[in-house]
């Protein structure tokens, strides 16, 4: 494995461990799963396959970031808005304007 790929794999691992601290099931659970996934693929030597695995890992990072953003959005929405959902608000507004 080239030095560039080795660096990219290490950086991906560090990023995943850092992001996984806030995982809903706990940071230790995520760290163990992440470590197991990396150890499962430790014997891969084909650069094309390593790049594919790195891109899959980067996709997981993006999905985790989206999960955290969604959780933050839902928390803020509960804190500052009524308990009704967006769809309920739309239907209520449609009924209101239909009556006029």
């Amino acid at each position: 494995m080239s030095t560039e790929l080795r660096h990219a794999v290490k950086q991906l691992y560090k990023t995943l461990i850092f992001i996984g601290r806030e995982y809903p099931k706990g940071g230790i659970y995520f760290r163990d799963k992440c470590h197991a996934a990396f150890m499962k693929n430790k014997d891969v030597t084909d650069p094309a396959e390593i790049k594919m695995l790195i891109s899959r890992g980067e996709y997981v990072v993006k999905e985790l970031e989206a999960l955290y953003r969604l959780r933050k959005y839902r928390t803020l929405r509960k804190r500052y808005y009524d308990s009704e959902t967006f769809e309920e608000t739309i239907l209520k507004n449609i009924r209101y304007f239909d009556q006029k």
Side-chain angles (χ1 to χ4, degrees):
M1 179 171 21
S2 72
T3 307
E4 295 170 3
L5 288 177
R6 184 179 302 275
H7 178 71
V9 169
K10 286 182 179 180
Q11 190 62 39
L12 176 63
Y13 185 77
K14 288 178 184 179
T15 302
L16 282 168
I17 295 299
F18 180 77
I19 289 177
R21 293 183 306 164
E22 298 178 34
Y23 193 70
K25 288 189 175 183
I28 295 172
Y29 172 84
F30 185 85
R31 186 188 66 207
D32 292 343
K33 291 292 183 179
C34 183
H35 182 75
F38 274 79
M39 293 308 288
K40 183 180 89 174
N41 295 311
K42 72 178 182 177
D43 296 326
V44 176
T45 56
D46 181 31
E49 191 172 351
I50 292 172
K51 288 178 183 177
M52 189 265 311
L53 291 169
I54 289 172
S55 66
R56 186 184 302 164
E58 290 169 349
Y59 175 77
V60 169
V61 168
K62 290 177 186 176
E63 287 294 313
L64 285 170
E65 289 172 346
L67 174 74
Y68 297 156
R69 272 191 238 115
L70 180 62
R71 184 174 66 185
K72 183 177 179 179
Y73 166 75
R74 286 179 177 165
T75 302
L76 289 173
R77 197 173 94 199
K78 284 181 187 175
R79 193 172 293 155
Y80 293 109
Y81 297 103
D82 293 335
S83 61
E84 65 185 25
T85 65
F86 179 72
E87 291 81 13
E88 291 171 342
T89 305
I90 296 289
L91 290 173
K92 183 175 78 175
N93 289 338
I94 289 172
R95 286 188 208 112
Y96 174 77
F97 289 112
D98 282 346
Q99 292 174 358
K100 284 187 169 187

